[in-house]
């Protein structure tokens, strides 16, 4: 089997932190399953498309929480990825998040990410493409949404 057939995303969660009108991040936690008999080293992660509520989000390049994350053979490992959201994306995100139908529910901010890992196993490198849908990310507003002026 090809390496791309042996590395899969088992699940995903997201936390959107909005600290202000010009400061926000989206943290996505992937559970990466390695079905091969050797360790897999994730060297980089890339993005084809990132969206919330079916609209594209303008974000900086994704960054792994820890560089050189290894997923041991025949196991699952949590891999954290952070996106910095630009001010225009924050305004769009606040507009796109839909109020919940009742007060006991979370706001709707369905998150979708298409991307790829660049990784290696022994001396072979591979691009592992993936697509994750996160229907209910955690949303934290901890700052003022009025833009700062300098």
């Amino acid at each position: 089997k090809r390496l791309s057939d042996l590395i899969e995303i088992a699940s995903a969660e997201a936390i959107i932190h909005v600290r202000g009108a010009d400061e926000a991040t989206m943290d996505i936690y992937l559970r990466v399953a390695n079905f091969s008999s050797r360790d897999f080293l994730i060297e980089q992660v890339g993005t084809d498309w990132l969206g919330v509520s079916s609209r594209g989000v303008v974000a900086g390049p994704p960054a792994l929480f820890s560089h050189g994350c290894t997923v041991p053979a025949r196991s699952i490992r949590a891999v954290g990825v952070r996106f910095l959201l630009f001010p225009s994306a924050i305004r769009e995100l606040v507009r796109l998040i839909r109020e919940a139908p009742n007060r006991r529910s979370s706001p709707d901010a369905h998150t979708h990410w298409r991307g790829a890992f660049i990784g290696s196993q022994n001396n072979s490198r591979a691009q592992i493409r993936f697509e994750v849908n996160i229907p209910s990310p955690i949303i934290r507003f901890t700052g003022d949404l009025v833009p700062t002026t300098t």
Side-chain angles (χ1 to χ4, degrees):
K1 284 190 170 187
R2 297 178 322 183
L3 184 56
S4 59
D5 296 329
L6 298 171
I7 308 295
E8 295 183 13
I9 304 298
S11 66
E13 296 176 3
I15 301 175
I16 300 170
H17 302 273
V18 180
R19 295 172 190 86
D22 53 1
E23 183 184 354
T25 57
M26 182 184 300
D27 296 339
I28 298 181
Y29 300 91
L30 304 171
R31 288 193 208 19
V32 180
N34 178 357
F35 294 102
S36 74
S37 59
R38 296 190 174 114
D39 293 354
F40 177 71
L41 174 65
I42 298 172
E43 299 168 10
Q44 293 178 306
V45 64
T47 297
D48 292 331
W49 194 78
L50 178 67
V52 172
S53 298
S54 300
R55 300 285 297 262
V57 173
V58 181
L64 290 167
F65 282 0
S66 60
H67 181 68
C69 180
T70 300
V71 182
R74 295 187 179 94
S75 67
I76 297 175
R77 169 134 190 226
V79 175
V81 178
R82 174 165 286 166
F83 292 91
L84 295 176
L85 302 178
F86 298 130
S88 62
I90 297 167
R91 287 189 297 276
E92 182 72 2
L93 188 70
V94 169
R95 192 179 70 68
L96 290 173
I97 295 172
R98 296 186 190 101
E99 189 173 331
N102 67 61
R103 293 193 296 158
R104 289 184 171 77
S105 297
S106 298
D108 180 24
H110 184 104
T111 302
H112 185 105
W113 179 25
R114 278 193 311 265
F117 290 126
I118 303 294
S120 59
Q121 191 175 66
N122 291 345
N123 293 327
S124 65
R125 293 188 73 190
Q127 181 180 50
I128 310 296
R129 304 200 63 69
F130 61 84
E131 187 167 345
V132 293
N133 288 296
I134 305 162
S136 300
I138 296 168
I139 303 167
R140 294 188 178 138
F141 289 98
T142 57
D144 190 359
L145 292 177
V146 176
T148 58
T149 57
T150 53

